[in-house]
Amino acid sequence: MRKILHIDMDAFYASVEQQDNPEFRGKPVIVGADPRAGAGRGVVAACSYEARRFGIHSALPIGQAWRLCPDGIYLRPRFSRYQEISGQIMDVFREYTDTVEPLSIDEAFLDVTGSTTLMGPADRIGGKIKAEIRERTGLTASVGVAPNKFLAKVASDLDKPDGFVVVPDDGAAAFLAPLPISRLWGVGPRTESRLRALGLETIGDLATRGRDRLVADLGSGGGHLWNLAVGIDDRPVIANWAVKSVSNETTFERDTRDRDALVSTLRRLSDQVAARLRKKHLRAGTVTLKLRYSSFTTYTRQSGLREPTGDGEIIFQRVRALFDRFELDEPVRLIGVGTTRLTGADGPGTQLGLFADSGADSSGKLSDAMDRIHERFGNRALHRASDLP
DNA sequence: TCTGGGGTCCTAGGACCC
DNA sequence: TCTGGGGTCCTAGGACCC
């Protein structure tokens, strides 16, 4: 039987802010978009448990949060600080096993099956990790210990904050049966209402319905869901996932049909994406434009490159050509630049300048220079002239 | 009171190849 | 004049997660 840990930081961004600013402790802290006295655009990224008592939760529109708690402490996220703390936490994990799979900035799966002979039982390892995180960062984490990933994830979530839940090797069915179907990984609002329409409310109901009927109800995904419902999950903990896409997008303060403004935003986003690709030593084979109108109707258009690139100018030219095909019969709310079909920068197809795409060579030097300047002086140090007001 | 930004995975139709 | 079957890749959209 495997021993899997899921470790999840409690109200991560808000807790970091309370740790760094003692005057915020014990108060409702809301990290996210600027509320602009209720007129702000955007959502809550994270909030303290004090804020949750007002009915605030992550993904809530920031204007609604403002109405629920106008006296709260509203903060813009400081991602680089959160990234720094995240690094400290991941370092703790790696002291107990090499098999660490980060799921996001503040949570990870650990396979400690091989660690137990040297370090003691899995639940004791979980306890030590919690204590170590608290000592190094002052923050609390919630831990789930179980024979597989799904059970460990559900367990860590059950007793938040500062939780610690162990699922015994033979206790999966009893543990899961009373929980609502929304706890199942992959069951969001859509699937939940489909399942409710079938009269299925708890994970136990799903297990009882049986695999075959669930596949008939939901298609092939139903088989996977039934497995989870009875506590079967063979997915391994994978330490080094390859990145599959890199993208940047932005929502405007006010919707706009100003093509020049949109194009210069596309240029900025293209440069951002390209810089991130280069930092990861990747090149992109496909470029995607994303466009969302005022009505929230969203379109994507993609275009394959003849040769993978990490050059902002090449990405921009492609994305601009895609953009030119849109009539803009509505104001635009959001615009984004994405890249996929990623390969290593030294991988096949990147070295030969045989095609027109590979104007990369000369502007590649410009990219390198920009990277070095951003590295030394920060991202605001250098802009393309076309981005200036 | 509208609904961020970063991702992953799945589906389905069409092109294209053998 | 009619028109297979399987595989793979590309594209667009959607569900879901943190």
Side-chain angles (χ1 to χ4, degrees), chain A residues 121-142:
Chain A
D123 51 348
R124 230 178 73 208
I125 295 177
K128 280 158 110 176
I129 291 176
K130 258 179 81 114
E132 195 67 33
I133 289 175
R134 176 138 216 175
E135 195 175 314
R136 292 194 207 175
T137 68
L139 303 173
T140 63
S142 292

Side-chain angles (χ1 to χ4, degrees), chain A residues 18-84:
Chain A
Q18 287 180 322
Q19 188 61 29
D20 285 353
N21 306 279
E23 68 274 22
F24 295 163
R25 294 179 194 169
K27 294 184 178 155
V29 170
I30 299 100
V31 180
D34 186 340
R36 293 179 182 268
R41 194 166 229 197
V43 299
V44 174
C47 64
S48 68
Y49 282 85
E50 294 84 355
R52 292 179 201 200
R53 286 201 275 276
F54 290 85
I56 297 173
H57 54 85
S58 54
L60 185 75
I62 199 76
Q64 285 185 53
W66 179 268
R67 273 174 280 279
L68 289 168
C69 183
D71 297 324
I73 296 162
Y74 288 84
L75 303 171
R76 250 36 70 235
R78 295 185 298 147
F79 290 110
S80 55
R81 177 63 178 151
Y82 310 147
Q83 203 66 59
E84 192 181 337

Side-chain angles (χ1 to χ4, degrees), chain A residues 165-378:
Chain A
V165 173
V166 180
V167 183
D169 284 350
D170 58 357
F175 169 77
L176 291 173
L179 299 176
I181 47 176
S182 54
R183 291 266 176 183
L184 284 164
W185 232 57
V187 174
R190 275 306 227 281
T191 311
E192 183 180 356
S193 55
R194 282 178 73 182
L195 291 170
R196 279 187 185 280
L198 297 167
L200 306 172
E201 306 244 321
T202 66
I203 296 182
D205 292 342
L206 237 84
T208 309
R209 190 165 180 86
R211 168 182 265 281
D212 292 348
R213 287 178 74 190
L214 218 50
V215 170
D217 296 333
L218 298 176
S220 62
H224 175 63
L225 222 52
W226 184 83
N227 279 352
L228 295 184
V230 297
I232 298 171
D233 179 12
D234 294 329
R235 291 172 301 175
V237 177
I238 295 175
N240 297 303
W241 277 106
V243 178
K244 302 207 167 73
S245 69
V246 172
S247 66
N248 281 88
E249 61 187 51
T250 187
T251 297
F252 297 104
E253 292 278 343
R254 279 205 193 83
D255 298 351
T256 179
R257 331 170 64 132
D258 179 344
R259 293 198 91 101
D260 290 342
L262 288 162
V263 166
S264 86
T265 303
L266 286 176
R267 179 177 303 266
R268 179 172 54 83
L269 293 169
S270 300
D271 282 339
Q272 284 174 3
V273 167
R276 289 175 59 209
L277 286 170
R278 292 193 297 270
K279 198 166 181 183
K280 295 169 190 280
H281 305 288
L282 293 171
R283 291 178 188 214
T286 298
V287 173
T288 305
L289 168 73
K290 180 172 172 180
L291 200 86
R292 173 172 292 156
Y293 287 119
S294 291
S295 59
F296 222 71
T297 316
T298 307
Y299 297 91
T300 61
R301 291 292 179 270
Q302 54 177 321
S303 172
L305 301 172
R306 277 165 292 188
E307 191 175 345
T309 190
D311 186 289
E313 181 61 23
I314 292 174
I315 292 171
F316 169 67
Q317 293 301 342
R318 274 310 169 106
V319 98
R320 177 182 195 158
L322 295 169
F323 174 74
D324 285 340
R325 312 210 297 235
F326 282 89
E327 292 289 344
L328 303 193
D329 25 39
E330 253 188 86
V332 175
R333 177 190 177 88
L334 167 151
I335 203 160
V337 174
T339 54
T340 52
R341 273 180 52 212
L342 307 183
T343 51
D346 47 2
T350 55
Q351 64 279 63
L352 299 172
L354 292 178
F355 303 105
D357 274 347
S358 63
D361 252 339
S362 54
S363 60
K365 286 177 187 162
L366 174 58
S367 301
D368 289 346
M370 287 177 76
D371 287 346
R372 284 197 301 274
I373 291 167
H374 286 145
E375 193 83 22
R376 285 184 62 186
F377 303 111

